Every structure is written in structure tokens, then in C-alpha cells.
Amino acid sequence: MGAVTETLPEAKARRVAEELRRIGAAHSPAVLASSLGAEDMVLTDLISREAPGIAVFSLDTGRLNAETYELMQQVKTRYPDLDYRIYAPEAADVEALVQGYGPNAFYESLDLRKQCCHVRKVKPLQRALAGNSAWITGMRRLQSVTRKDLEPETWDEANGLYKFNPLYDWSQAEVWGYIRAHGVPYNALHEQGYASVGCAPCTRPIAAGEDERAGRWWWEDPEAKECGLHLNRES
Ligand code: SF4
């Protein structure tokens, strides 16, 4: 994570830059979904320099860490020409959820956790993707058991557009090599042992040797650890 350093994967970064330009030209309009994690910052940096026609969006679930909001702010100042969009859940949906079950009901059952993710993430994602031809993510095969078969390109049947995962074959060390070499801003949570960035109550630091997504919904079965944003064949 933050402490990892390795030779910059220049060749891989060049290939990803070419791929982003190709996506931007062939699948316009295209958008990057950024959770403000390290991988998303690599892609945000590459898009700002190599494929400025691609927009970037983040989902403000209302339950993010202060460090994540700080990075959201930094993205706006560091990349002033970037088309950066922030989507929030519908206030009425959040009110109904919290009034019905309480603010932290996601710990009580998988069903309630998925309801919360649906309101705070999936529905805003659908608005963010509407009208686009393709979306891009920072997912990698090595992140978790749910992503080991991740393909670089798929058809997202649920959302009706192409989905690209240009960092699918990158290692964690390669991601950090790029961030260090290019002075890319990153989430301070990574310095505290967080490998994956998500909502504050549902994400925690991981121990050495743990699966990179072990800190997400740690009370659940590893096979269930996706939030509904990535429910295609690879997840
Ligand atoms: S990650 Fe947790 S707080 Fe965030 S939307 Fe899902 S259940 Fe709700």
C-alpha cells in the first residue's frame, strides 16, 4: 500500500493510456467510476493527460471517510479541466431506509446491507451511467477471489453498456509505482492500512497477507463481497 515502492511500470502505463484513448474515441461518451482508491487515482491521472474526453465520477454515499472527501476536493483542484462529477443518493430513499431500519442496519443482515448499497450506490450509479456508451473501472484480478477472472472488456448487460477494466492485470506494487512516479494524490486511508476504499462503517484496514478486499464487509462471506456495482460474470 502506501509504503510499497517498485519500478514504474512505464510500458503498462503506456498501454493503458492507449487503451483509454481508444475507448474515448470508439465508445464516446465514456466515464470512469472512481471510488477515490489508488487504482482510480492512476486512471484519473491518465485520463486527465491522455484522454480528457472521458469524464470521471464518484458516488458520495453520505457515509464516506473524511479522508475520502478530502481527496475528492483535491481531485477538483489538481485536475481543474477534468469533467469530474459527484452523484448523491436520493434524499427520500435514504430517509426511508434510515427511518425503517436505523442508520447502521447493514450489520444486521446481508439483505439490509444490500438494501443500503442499492440506495446509496446502485441507484446513483445508474444515474451516473445513463446516456454513456462505456464505463471504466480500476478493478484488478489480484484484489480478491471475486475478481480473479476479471476480463479487460465486457458487455455490462445490467446497465446496457461496455465496461472496461484497463488495470485488470496490474499488481498493487505497480499501482503504487505509478502514483509515486507521477506525484498523483492518493487517499490518506492507504497510509492507515486500508487497501480498498469504501464507506466508513463497512471498510477497515487489513493485516499483512490478507486478501485486498478483506477489509470490506468483513463480517460477511468472502464470496458475497460486492456491493451491486459490479455484478457481471467477473464478480
Ligand atoms: S458500503 Fe455500507 S454504508 Fe455504504 S452503501 Fe453499502 S451498506 Fe451502506
Side-chain angles (χ1 to χ4, degrees):
M1 287 168 294
V4 175
T5 55
E6 193 173 82
T7 308
L8 171 67
E10 285 289 359
K12 275 188 168 178
R14 273 200 303 277
R15 281 202 297 275
V16 172
E18 285 169 19
E19 175 68 349
L20 290 170
R21 286 195 295 270
R22 185 190 72 79
I23 294 167
H27 298 282
S28 180
V31 283
L32 166 70
S34 170
S35 68
L36 288 306
E39 291 80 5
D40 301 322
M41 292 311 301
V42 169
L43 289 172
T44 297
D45 190 74
L46 281 167
I47 284 170
S48 74
R49 291 188 289 110
E50 306 283 349
I54 297 175
V56 178
F57 73 84
S58 296
L59 304 179
D60 176 4
T61 65
R63 301 299 298 264
L64 302 178
N65 296 79
E67 291 86 345
T68 304
Y69 288 113
E70 175 56 31
L71 182 56
M72 209 180 266
Q73 191 69 40
Q74 283 185 50
V75 168
K76 291 196 75 71
T77 52
R78 167 72 181 258
Y79 306 106
D81 296 327
L82 184 72
D83 183 356
Y84 184 46
R85 306 163 183 176
I86 298 169
Y87 291 85
E90 297 290 342
D93 289 349
V94 174
E95 281 180 9
L97 182 75
V98 172
Q99 282 186 20
Y101 304 103
N104 291 334
F106 35 75
Y107 293 131
E108 294 175 9
S109 72
L110 182 59
D111 181 57
L112 285 172
R113 198 274 282 170
K114 288 191 170 177
Q115 279 192 51
C116 185
C117 283
H118 185 75
V119 164
R120 294 182 185 274
K121 291 183 169 183
V122 177
K123 286 184 71 176
L125 174 79
Q126 289 167 348
R127 283 198 294 123
L129 296 182
N132 285 287
S133 298
W135 66 305
I136 301 162
T137 87
M139 291 198 295
R140 295 185 293 107
R141 284 180 176 169
L142 294 174
Q143 283 172 319
S144 73
V145 63
T146 61
R147 297 181 178 180
K148 63 182 172 41
D149 299 321
L150 186 71
E151 296 293 335
E153 174 179 345
T154 59
W155 172 252
D156 178 350
E157 186 66 42
N159 292 301
L161 75 177
Y162 286 98
K163 182 177 181 183
F164 295 93
N165 308 301
L167 302 187
Y168 74 102
D169 63 346
W170 282 43
S171 68
Q172 188 184 53
E174 287 169 335
V175 168
W176 283 100
Y178 181 94
I179 286 173
R180 300 294 187 206
H182 292 271
V184 176
Y186 61 87
N187 200 314
L189 291 172
H190 294 307
E191 302 285 13
Q192 302 167 29
Y194 288 77
S196 177
V197 172
C199 291
C202 298
T203 312
R204 69 177 183 181
I206 60 170
E210 273 193 301
D211 184 293
E212 286 183 49
R213 283 177 65 84
R216 304 294 290 277
W217 308 294
W218 62 91
W219 62 93
E220 293 179 357
D221 185 302
E223 302 285 343
K225 288 185 181 189
E226 293 292 351
C227 55
L229 300 189
H230 305 296
L231 292 182
N232 272 339
R233 284 175 294 142
E234 75 271 15
S235 59

